[in-house]
Amino acid sequence: MMTLDQFDAFLYKTQNRAFEETRDKIDKVYEKYTKPGNTKKADYRSVTAARLGPAGFTSYGGQVHTDEYEPGTERVTKYKKFTIAVVTAEELMADMFNGGRIDDDQIELFANMTKDFADSMTWTCEIITSDFQLRGTSTTATNTWPGAGRDGLALFSTSHVTTKGTPVTWSNRPTAAAMNQLTLMEGVTMLENTPDETGRPLGVVRRIGIVHGRYWEWRVPELLKSVSKPDSDHNNPNTLRLRDIEWVSILNPYLGSTTTSWKTIDLDNHELLRFMKMKPKYTKDVDVYTGNQINKATMRYAIDFDSAKGVVLNDGI
């Protein structure tokens, strides 16, 4: 005959299984426009080093041209802890067991609780990661937003400067405008005009993501899939389809329905990083003072950017 402790253990096993299955099943938007960072150490540390400049002319028998690597600025990302809990009365478990209420409906009630935990954790990650777009123009650090980048500027700025050789100023924040063919083309051009730290041009962009909210939900496919030039009454071809570019529309509903900004991302070369130090974990404890059960989910998660290159923000209208 099953005891109350055995029933409790069985219920916990059911809850944990429901949590694991739901956690892995949820479609995550933030994974489409960020890269996983290295979480093998206590803190994530990285250093941006300027690459070598061009080679110097050397006359016959002359001295070799020398250069040096510059270590750059070290950046440390610390992982943040997030928790959510539900407390159930000590009597509830005993009433379920002793009252003959051990049936599928009651088990499902607790399983749904853990599904809600998984949903809550994914929702938290989506909100935090959306800050790349919503707080990317701010240098003010918060509990979740890292603030300024290596150059002391916001992620999106009109005055980024290269660190080696003759300084080159570059921008990844164009003048705010409505989304149309020209503003998308401008985003691509800005991505390709971004220099590396030595001032050398970057390569051609092949895969471009457009991260946008509900505001542009129908505008994006209109611009990308029209054969003729959008917003015109003639048959000129749609320039966005002429180059060998793979456009990827990434709808992020967590930005809010009134958010008019959008990001243009070089999906292969950007440095927007997410750090899942500890995946969401479900646990159940007992409060020794009250006997109440504490159902809890915990994770450690953070975001950061190693570089402002590879991403452009248009604030929209």
Side-chain angles (χ1 to χ4, degrees):
M1 182 177 179
M2 181 182 291
T3 65
L4 179 58
D5 289 340
Q6 290 173 326
F7 170 64
D8 189 21
F10 170 73
L11 184 60
Y12 174 72
K13 183 177 181 180
T14 302
Q15 289 177 276
N16 191 59
R17 179 177 179 181
F19 180 82
E20 292 293 332
E21 291 178 348
T22 304
R23 187 192 70 190
D24 295 334
K25 183 173 60 177
I26 296 174
D27 185 27
K28 301 176 180 63
V29 179
Y30 65 90
E31 291 184 351
K32 298 178 181 179
Y33 62 91
T34 59
K35 296 178 180 179
N38 183 2
T39 57
K40 293 181 180 179
K41 298 181 179 180
D43 296 324
Y44 171 75
R45 295 171 183 266
S46 64
V47 174
T48 295
R51 304 163 80 180
L52 294 178
F57 169 75
T58 305
S59 60
Y60 185 74
Q63 184 175 347
V64 65
H65 172 72
T66 59
D67 204 334
E68 64 180 355
Y69 283 107
E70 299 177 12
T73 304
E74 183 183 60
R75 189 167 180 84
V76 180
T77 303
K78 295 185 177 181
Y79 315 115
K80 313 300 171 61
K81 180 179 178 181
F82 299 89
T83 58
I84 187 169
V86 173
V87 178
T88 56
E90 179 182 22
E91 297 79 13
L92 176 61
M93 193 65 61
D95 288 345
M96 285 179 60
F97 178 74
N98 296 325
R101 297 166 59 189
I102 306 176
D103 54 35
D104 292 341
D105 291 339
Q106 296 301 324
I107 299 297
E108 184 177 356
L109 171 68
F110 277 78
N112 286 339
M113 178 194 300
T114 52
K115 290 179 181 179
D116 287 341
F117 278 146
D119 284 334
S120 176
M121 288 303 186
T122 301
W123 188 6
T124 302
C125 291
E126 296 284 10
I127 292 173
I128 295 171
T129 313
S130 294
D131 277 352
F132 280 125
Q133 191 154 336
L134 299 177
R135 298 182 187 269
T137 58
S138 173
T139 58
T140 302
T142 68
N143 287 333
T144 55
W145 177 244
R150 296 178 187 278
D151 55 6
L153 300 175
L155 170 61
F156 301 107
S157 172
T158 60
S159 55
H160 290 294
V161 179
T162 58
T163 59
K164 186 173 184 179
T166 302
V168 177
T169 301
W170 58 279
S171 170
N172 63 348
R173 190 181 183 189
T175 302
M179 183 188 292
N180 55 43
Q181 185 187 42
L182 291 177
T183 52
L184 286 182
M185 291 165 58
E186 180 185 24
V188 176
T189 301
M190 294 185 77
L191 286 174
E192 295 182 334
N193 282 340
T194 302
D196 69 10
E197 292 306 316
T198 64
R200 182 183 183 184
L202 300 178
V204 176
V205 180
R206 299 297 184 187
R207 292 198 314 132
I208 298 178
I210 305 174
V211 184
H212 59 91
R214 296 286 188 195
Y215 191 90
W216 301 111
E217 181 175 5
W218 299 105
R219 181 58 167 165
V220 172
E222 178 186 27
L223 292 171
L224 298 182
K225 296 184 178 182
S226 296
V227 175
S228 299
K229 181 179 179 180
D231 308 319
S232 68
D233 56 359
H234 48 70
N235 292 325
N236 287 356
N238 182 358
T239 309
L240 298 174
R241 295 167 57 93
L242 296 182
R243 282 186 51 183
D244 187 21
I245 292 177
E246 178 187 351
W247 293 93
V248 180
S249 174
I250 303 173
L251 172 62
N252 183 3
Y254 300 93
L255 292 174
S257 59
T258 60
T259 300
T260 62
S261 66
W262 76 89
K263 294 197 301 284
T264 309
I265 294 184
D266 180 347
L267 292 174
D268 297 317
N269 298 301
H270 73 80
E271 293 297 332
L272 305 184
L273 305 177
R274 66 180 187 273
F275 299 91
M276 183 62 78
K277 180 63 174 177
M278 184 181 78
K279 289 184 177 181
K281 179 181 179 182
Y282 171 70
T283 58
K284 184 161 67 173
D285 300 304
V286 176
D287 186 333
V288 296
Y289 295 103
T290 65
N292 296 336
Q293 285 195 345
I294 305 172
N295 303 270
K296 183 177 67 173
T298 306
M299 72 175 177
R300 294 177 69 194
Y301 183 78
I303 62 172
D304 207 343
F305 53 98
D306 255 1
S307 170
K309 297 178 175 62
V311 58
V312 170
L313 175 74
N314 194 308
D315 289 314
I317 55 178

